[in-house]
Amino acid sequence: MNEDEDAVLAVLDDEYARAILAHLTIEPMSVDELCTACEMSDATAYRRLNRLQDADLVTEQQELDPDGHHYKRYAATVETVTVTFADGGYEVAVTRSTTDPADRFTDLFEGLS
């Protein structure tokens, strides 16, 4: 078991982190959108997003709104996490998204038109 695997298991032990990941598999979201969707405070969302980023399960993208303000949108970078138990040990395997989160975000908006 290595440090990265420990980080993945530790963050997935948290119900808010799992809820964030679940919502981010649908589409990239801002913190405000995540707070509404997951029924959590800003502080809780930011703490979980930091942990998810540290475990390389989420990435952030800078967005520009029509008023010229900048804000961040977050996207999941993971598709599956598998824990295998064998021979007195266990192994954690993370399957990353096959497309870049920015490309998935573009695909989402192109699909709307």
Side-chain angles (χ1 to χ4, degrees), residues 6 11 21 26 30 37 53 56 64 66 79 84 88 91 98-99 111:
D6 283 338
V11 73
L21 271 178
I26 299 167
S30 68
Q53 285 180 296
D56 198 26
L64 181 65
E79 287 184 1
T84 305
E91 182 178 307
T98 55
T99 58

Side-chain angles (χ1 to χ4, degrees), residues 23 29 32 37 40 45 47 60 63 65-66 69 75 77 81-83 93 95-96 98-99 101 104 112:
H23 284 286
M29 300 175 89
D32 288 341
M40 68 180 77
R47 278 193 304 272
E60 66 182 45
E63 297 292 324
D65 70 20
H69 295 88
T77 60
V81 176
T82 307
V83 181
T95 304
R96 306 282 173 201
T98 55
T99 58
R104 288 193 326 215
L112 295 175

Side-chain angles (χ1 to χ4, degrees), residues 69-87:
H69 295 88
H70 291 80
Y71 66 99
K72 294 179 183 174
R73 292 182 77 75
Y74 296 86
T77 60
V78 62
E79 287 184 1
T80 61
V81 176
T82 307
V83 181
T84 305
F85 296 91
D87 299 322

Side-chain angles (χ1 to χ4, degrees), residues 33-49:
E33 292 167 329
L34 284 168
C35 288
T36 299
C38 300
E39 299 179 357
M40 68 180 77
S41 70
D42 285 1
T44 299
Y46 280 113
R47 278 193 304 272
R48 293 336 185 268
L49 285 165

